[in-house]
């Protein structure tokens, strides 16, 4: 079912964006997994701060 949100956007567009952001999130999480523990991975986090006592997701 395709519904029009407004003149330029449909529900299909919203679903495509959702899939795109899911892809980006997955790629980001995989990159985090490749970084060795504590080896400069703070730059990969959006807030730039990582609690060392907390385990990696």
């Amino acid at each position: 079912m395709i519904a029009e949100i407004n003149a330029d956007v449909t529900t299909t567009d919203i679903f495509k964006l959702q899939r795109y952001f899911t892809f980006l999130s997955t790629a980001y999480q995989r990159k985090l997994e490749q970084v060795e523990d504590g080896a400069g991975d703070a730059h990969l986090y959006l807030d730039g701060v990582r609690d060392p006592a907390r385990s990696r997701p």
Side-chain angles (χ1 to χ4, degrees):
M1 178 174 160
I2 299 175
E4 194 171 292
I5 305 293
N6 65 31
D8 299 321
V9 179
T10 65
T11 53
T12 302
D13 297 328
I14 302 298
F15 294 139
K16 286 179 182 178
L17 276 174
Q18 184 180 15
R19 286 191 348 220
Y20 178 70
F21 284 115
T22 300
F23 167 76
L24 289 179
S25 176
T26 301
Y28 180 78
Q29 292 299 320
R30 287 187 181 174
K31 186 64 175 177
L32 281 178
E33 290 171 0
Q34 293 175 0
V35 175
E36 293 181 22
D37 288 333
D41 59 347
H43 69 280
L44 293 174
Y45 287 91
L46 294 177
D47 61 0
V49 178
R50 180 164 130 350
D51 183 1
R54 191 172 164 200
S55 64
R56 188 172 273 161

Coordinates of all heavy atoms in Angstrom, one line a residue:
M1 N 0.8 -1.2 0.0 CA 0.0 0.0 0.0 C 0.9 1.2 0.0 O 1.7 1.4 0.9 CB -0.9 0.0 1.2 CG -1.8 1.2 1.4 SD -2.9 0.9 2.8 CE -3.3 2.6 3.1
I2 N 0.7 2.1 -1.0 CA 1.5 3.3 -1.1 C 0.5 4.5 -0.8 O -0.5 4.7 -1.5 CB 2.1 3.4 -2.5 CG1 3.1 2.3 -2.7 CG2 2.8 4.8 -2.6 CD1 3.7 2.3 -4.1
A3 N 0.9 5.2 0.2 CA 0.1 6.4 0.5 C 0.9 7.6 0.3 O 2.1 7.6 0.5 CB -0.4 6.3 2.0
E4 N 0.3 8.7 0.0 CA 1.0 10.0 -0.3 C 1.1 10.8 1.1 O 0.0 11.0 1.7 CB 0.3 10.8 -1.3 CG 1.2 11.9 -1.9 CD 0.6 12.5 -3.1 OE1 0.5 11.9 -4.1 OE2 0.1 13.7 -3.0
I5 N 2.3 11.1 1.5 CA 2.4 11.9 2.7 C 2.1 13.4 2.4 O 1.4 14.0 3.1 CB 3.8 11.7 3.3 CG1 4.2 10.3 3.6 CG2 4.0 12.6 4.6 CD1 3.4 9.6 4.6
N6 N 2.8 13.8 1.4 CA 2.5 15.1 0.8 C 2.8 15.1 -0.7 O 3.0 14.0 -1.2 CB 3.3 16.3 1.5 CG 4.8 16.1 1.3 OD1 5.3 15.7 0.3 ND2 5.6 16.6 2.3
A7 N 2.9 16.2 -1.4 CA 3.0 16.2 -2.8 C 4.3 15.5 -3.3 O 4.4 15.0 -4.4 CB 2.9 17.6 -3.4
D8 N 5.3 15.5 -2.5 CA 6.6 15.0 -2.9 C 7.1 13.7 -2.2 O 8.1 13.1 -2.6 CB 7.7 16.1 -2.7 CG 7.5 17.3 -3.5 OD1 7.0 17.2 -4.6 OD2 7.7 18.4 -2.9
V9 N 6.4 13.3 -1.1 CA 6.8 12.2 -0.3 C 5.7 11.1 -0.2 O 4.6 11.4 0.1 CB 7.2 12.6 1.1 CG1 7.6 11.5 2.0 CG2 8.3 13.7 1.0
T10 N 6.1 9.8 -0.4 CA 5.2 8.7 -0.2 C 5.6 7.8 0.9 O 6.8 8.0 1.3 CB 5.0 7.9 -1.5 OG1 6.3 7.3 -1.8 CG2 4.6 8.8 -2.7
T11 N 4.8 6.9 1.3 CA 5.2 5.9 2.3 C 6.4 5.1 1.8 O 7.3 4.7 2.6 CB 4.1 5.0 2.7 OG1 3.5 4.4 1.6 CG2 3.0 5.8 3.5
T12 N 6.5 4.8 0.5 CA 7.6 4.1 0.0 C 8.9 4.8 0.2 O 9.9 4.2 0.5 CB 7.4 3.8 -1.5 OG1 6.2 3.1 -1.7 CG2 8.5 3.0 -2.1
D13 N 8.9 6.2 0.1 CA 10.1 7.0 0.3 C 10.5 6.8 1.8 O 11.7 6.7 2.1 CB 9.8 8.4 0.0 CG 9.5 8.7 -1.4 OD1 10.1 7.9 -2.3 OD2 8.7 9.6 -1.7
I14 N 9.5 6.8 2.7 CA 9.8 6.7 4.1 C 10.4 5.3 4.4 O 11.4 5.2 5.1 CB 8.5 6.9 5.0 CG1 7.9 8.2 4.7 CG2 8.8 6.6 6.5 CD1 8.8 9.4 5.1
F15 N 9.9 4.2 3.8 CA 10.4 2.9 4.0 C 11.8 2.8 3.5 O 12.7 2.1 4.1 CB 9.5 1.8 3.3 CG 8.2 1.7 4.0 CD1 7.0 1.6 3.2 CD2 8.0 1.8 5.4 CE1 5.8 1.5 3.8 CE2 6.8 1.7 5.9 CZ 5.6 1.5 5.1
K16 N 12.1 3.4 2.3 CA 13.5 3.4 1.8 C 14.5 4.1 2.7 O 15.6 3.6 2.9 CB 13.5 4.1 0.4 CG 12.8 3.3 -0.7 CD 12.9 4.0 -2.0 CE 12.2 3.2 -3.1 NZ 12.2 4.0 -4.4
L17 N 14.1 5.2 3.2 CA 14.9 5.9 4.2 C 15.2 5.1 5.4 O 16.3 5.0 6.0 CB 14.3 7.2 4.6 CG 14.6 8.4 3.7 CD1 13.8 9.6 4.1 CD2 16.0 8.7 3.6
Q18 N 14.1 4.4 5.9 CA 14.3 3.5 7.1 C 15.3 2.4 6.8 O 16.2 2.1 7.6 CB 12.9 3.0 7.5 CG 13.0 2.1 8.7 CD 11.6 1.6 9.1 OE1 10.7 1.6 8.3 NE2 11.5 1.1 10.3
R19 N 15.2 1.8 5.6 CA 16.2 0.7 5.3 C 17.6 1.3 5.2 O 18.5 0.7 5.6 CB 15.7 0.1 4.0 CG 14.6 -0.8 4.1 CD 14.3 -1.7 2.9 NE 14.9 -1.4 1.7 CZ 14.4 -1.5 0.5 NH1 13.1 -1.8 0.4 NH2 15.1 -1.2 -0.5
Y20 N 17.7 2.5 4.6 CA 19.0 3.1 4.5 C 19.7 3.4 5.8 O 20.8 3.1 6.0 CB 18.9 4.4 3.7 CG 20.2 5.2 3.5 CD1 21.2 4.7 2.7 CD2 20.4 6.4 4.2 CE1 22.4 5.4 2.6 CE2 21.5 7.1 4.0 CZ 22.5 6.6 3.2 OH 23.7 7.3 3.1
F21 N 18.9 3.9 6.8 CA 19.4 4.2 8.1 C 19.7 2.9 8.9 O 20.7 2.9 9.6 CB 18.5 5.1 8.9 CG 18.6 6.6 8.4 CD1 17.5 7.2 7.9 CD2 19.8 7.2 8.6 CE1 17.6 8.5 7.5 CE2 19.9 8.6 8.2 CZ 18.8 9.2 7.6
T22 N 19.0 1.9 8.6 CA 19.3 0.6 9.2 C 20.6 0.0 8.7 O 21.4 -0.5 9.5 CB 18.1 -0.4 9.0 OG1 16.9 0.1 9.5 CG2 18.5 -1.8 9.6
F23 N 20.8 0.2 7.4 CA 22.1 -0.2 6.8 C 23.3 0.6 7.4 O 24.3 0.0 7.8 CB 22.0 0.0 5.3 CG 23.4 -0.1 4.6 CD1 24.0 -1.3 4.4 CD2 24.1 1.1 4.2 CE1 25.2 -1.4 3.8 CE2 25.3 1.0 3.6 CZ 25.9 -0.2 3.4
L24 N 23.1 1.9 7.5 CA 24.2 2.7 8.1 C 24.4 2.3 9.6 O 25.6 2.2 10.0 CB 23.8 4.2 8.1 CG 23.8 4.9 6.7 CD1 23.4 6.3 6.8 CD2 25.2 4.8 6.0
S25 N 23.4 2.0 10.3 CA 23.6 1.6 11.7 C 24.3 0.3 11.8 O 25.2 0.1 12.6 CB 22.2 1.5 12.4 OG 22.4 1.0 13.7
T26 N 24.0 -0.7 10.9 CA 24.7 -1.9 10.9 C 26.1 -1.8 10.5 O 27.0 -2.4 11.1 CB 24.0 -2.9 9.9 OG1 22.6 -3.0 10.3 CG2 24.7 -4.2 9.8
A27 N 26.4 -1.0 9.5 CA 27.8 -0.7 9.1 C 28.6 -0.1 10.2 O 29.8 -0.5 10.5 CB 27.9 0.1 7.8
Y28 N 28.0 0.9 10.9 CA 28.6 1.5 12.0 C 28.9 0.6 13.2 O 30.0 0.6 13.7 CB 27.7 2.7 12.5 CG 28.2 3.5 13.7 CD1 29.1 4.5 13.5 CD2 27.7 3.3 14.9 CE1 29.6 5.2 14.5 CE2 28.1 4.0 16.0 CZ 29.1 5.0 15.8 OH 29.5 5.7 16.8
Q29 N 28.0 -0.3 13.5 CA 28.2 -1.2 14.6 C 29.3 -2.2 14.2 O 30.1 -2.6 15.1 CB 26.9 -2.0 14.9 CG 25.8 -1.1 15.5 CD 26.3 -0.5 16.9 OE1 26.9 -1.2 17.7 NE2 25.9 0.8 17.1
R30 N 29.3 -2.7 13.0 CA 30.4 -3.6 12.6 C 31.8 -2.9 12.6 O 32.7 -3.6 13.0 CB 30.1 -4.1 11.2 CG 29.0 -5.1 11.2 CD 28.8 -5.7 9.8 NE 27.7 -6.7 9.9 CZ 27.2 -7.3 8.8 NH1 27.7 -7.1 7.7 NH2 26.2 -8.1 9.0
K31 N 31.8 -1.7 12.3 CA 33.1 -0.9 12.4 C 33.5 -0.9 13.9 O 34.7 -1.0 14.2 CB 33.0 0.4 11.8 CG 34.2 1.2 11.7 CD 35.2 0.5 10.8 CE 36.5 1.4 10.6 NZ 37.5 0.7 9.8
L32 N 32.6 -0.6 14.8 CA 32.9 -0.5 16.2 C 33.5 -1.9 16.7 O 34.4 -1.9 17.5 CB 31.7 -0.2 17.0 CG 31.3 1.3 17.1 CD1 30.0 1.4 17.9 CD2 32.4 2.1 17.6
E33 N 32.9 -3.0 16.2 CA 33.4 -4.3 16.6 C 34.8 -4.6 16.1 O 35.5 -5.3 16.8 CB 32.5 -5.4 16.0 CG 31.1 -5.4 16.7 CD 30.1 -6.3 16.0 OE1 30.5 -7.0 15.0 OE2 29.0 -6.4 16.4
Q34 N 35.3 -3.9 15.0 CA 36.6 -4.2 14.5 C 37.7 -3.4 15.3 O 38.8 -3.8 15.3 CB 36.7 -3.7 13.1 CG 35.9 -4.6 12.1 CD 35.9 -4.1 10.7 OE1 36.5 -3.0 10.4 NE2 35.2 -4.8 9.8
V35 N 37.3 -2.4 16.0 CA 38.2 -1.6 16.8 C 38.6 -2.3 18.0 O 37.7 -2.8 18.8 CB 37.6 -0.2 17.1 CG1 38.6 0.6 18.0 CG2 37.3 0.6 15.9
E36 N 39.9 -2.4 18.3 CA 40.4 -3.1 19.5 C 39.9 -2.3 20.7 O 39.9 -1.1 20.7 CB 41.9 -3.2 19.5 CG 42.4 -4.2 18.4 CD 43.9 -4.3 18.4 OE1 44.5 -4.1 19.4 OE2 44.4 -4.7 17.4
D37 N 39.7 -3.0 21.8 CA 39.2 -2.4 23.1 C 40.1 -1.2 23.5 O 41.3 -1.4 23.7 CB 39.2 -3.4 24.2 CG 38.0 -4.4 24.0 OD1 37.0 -4.0 23.4 OD2 38.1 -5.5 24.6
G38 N 39.5 -0.1 23.6 CA 40.3 1.1 24.1 C 41.3 1.7 23.2 O 42.0 2.6 23.5
A39 N 41.4 1.2 22.0 CA 42.4 1.6 21.0 C 41.9 2.8 20.2 O 41.8 2.7 19.0 CB 42.9 0.5 20.2
G40 N 41.6 3.9 20.9 CA 41.1 5.1 20.1 C 39.8 5.0 19.5 O 39.5 5.6 18.5
D41 N 38.9 4.2 20.1 CA 37.5 4.1 19.6 C 36.6 5.2 20.0 O 35.5 5.2 19.5 CB 36.9 2.7 19.9 CG 36.8 2.4 21.3 OD1 37.4 3.2 22.1 OD2 36.1 1.5 21.7
A42 N 37.0 6.1 20.8 CA 36.2 7.2 21.3 C 35.7 8.1 20.1 O 34.6 8.6 20.2 CB 36.9 8.0 22.3
H43 N 36.5 8.2 19.1 CA 36.1 9.0 18.0 C 35.0 8.4 17.2 O 34.3 9.1 16.4 CB 37.3 9.3 17.0 CG 37.8 8.1 16.3 ND1 38.6 7.1 16.9 CD2 37.6 7.6 15.0 CE1 38.8 6.2 16.0 NE2 38.2 6.4 14.9
L44 N 34.7 7.1 17.4 CA 33.6 6.5 16.7 C 32.2 6.7 17.3 O 31.2 6.5 16.7 CB 33.9 5.0 16.5 CG 35.0 4.6 15.6 CD1 35.3 3.1 15.7 CD2 34.8 5.0 14.2
Y45 N 32.2 7.1 18.6 CA 31.0 7.3 19.3 C 30.6 8.8 19.1 O 31.4 9.7 19.1 CB 31.2 7.1 20.8 CG 31.3 5.6 21.1 CD1 32.5 5.0 21.1 CD2 30.2 4.8 21.3 CE1 32.6 3.6 21.4 CE2 30.2 3.5 21.6 CZ 31.5 2.9 21.6 OH 31.6 1.5 21.9
L46 N 29.3 9.0 18.9 CA 28.8 10.3 18.6 C 29.1 11.3 19.7 O 29.4 12.4 19.5 CB 27.2 10.2 18.4 CG 26.8 9.4 17.2 CD1 25.3 9.4 17.1 CD2 27.4 10.1 15.9
D47 N 29.0 10.9 21.0 CA 29.3 11.8 22.1 C 30.7 11.9 22.4 O 31.2 12.7 23.2 CB 28.4 11.4 23.3 CG 28.8 10.0 23.9 OD1 29.6 9.4 23.3 OD2 28.2 9.7 24.8
G48 N 31.5 11.0 21.8 CA 33.0 11.0 22.0 C 33.5 10.5 23.4 O 34.6 10.5 23.7
V49 N 32.5 10.0 24.2 CA 32.9 9.5 25.5 C 32.4 8.1 25.7 O 31.3 7.8 25.3 CB 32.3 10.4 26.6 CG1 32.6 9.9 28.0 CG2 32.7 11.8 26.5
R50 N 33.2 7.2 26.2 CA 32.9 5.8 26.4 C 33.2 5.5 27.8 O 34.3 5.7 28.3 CB 33.6 4.9 25.4 CG 33.3 3.5 25.6 CD 33.7 2.7 24.3 NE 34.5 1.6 24.3 CZ 35.2 0.9 25.2 NH1 35.3 1.3 26.3 NH2 35.9 -0.1 24.9
D51 N 32.3 4.9 28.5 CA 32.5 4.5 29.9 C 33.3 3.2 29.9 O 32.8 2.1 29.4 CB 31.2 4.3 30.6 CG 31.3 3.9 32.1 OD1 32.5 3.8 32.5 OD2 30.3 3.7 32.7
P52 N 34.5 3.1 30.3 CA 35.3 1.9 30.3 C 34.8 0.8 31.1 O 35.0 -0.4 30.8 CB 36.7 2.3 30.8 CG 36.6 3.7 31.3 CD 35.3 4.2 30.9
A53 N 34.0 1.1 32.1 CA 33.4 0.0 33.0 C 32.2 -0.7 32.3 O 31.8 -1.7 32.7 CB 32.9 0.6 34.3
R54 N 31.7 0.0 31.2 CA 30.5 -0.6 30.6 C 31.0 -1.5 29.4 O 31.9 -1.1 28.7 CB 29.7 0.6 30.0 CG 28.4 0.2 29.5 CD 27.6 1.5 29.2 NE 26.5 1.1 28.4 CZ 25.8 1.9 27.6 NH1 26.2 3.2 27.6 NH2 24.8 1.5 26.9
S55 N 30.4 -2.6 29.3 CA 30.8 -3.5 28.2 C 30.3 -3.0 26.8 O 29.3 -2.2 26.8 CB 30.2 -4.9 28.4 OG 28.8 -4.9 28.4
R56 N 31.0 -3.4 25.8 CA 30.6 -3.0 24.4 C 29.3 -3.6 24.0 O 29.1 -4.8 24.3 CB 31.7 -3.4 23.5 CG 31.6 -2.8 22.1 CD 32.8 -3.0 21.3 NE 33.7 -1.9 21.6 CZ 34.9 -1.9 21.3 NH1 35.5 -3.0 20.8 NH2 35.7 -0.9 21.6
P57 N 28.4 -2.9 23.3 CA 27.2 -3.4 22.8 C 27.3 -4.6 21.9 O 28.2 -4.8 21.2 CB 26.5 -2.3 22.2 CG 27.4 -1.2 22.0 CD 28.6 -1.5 22.9

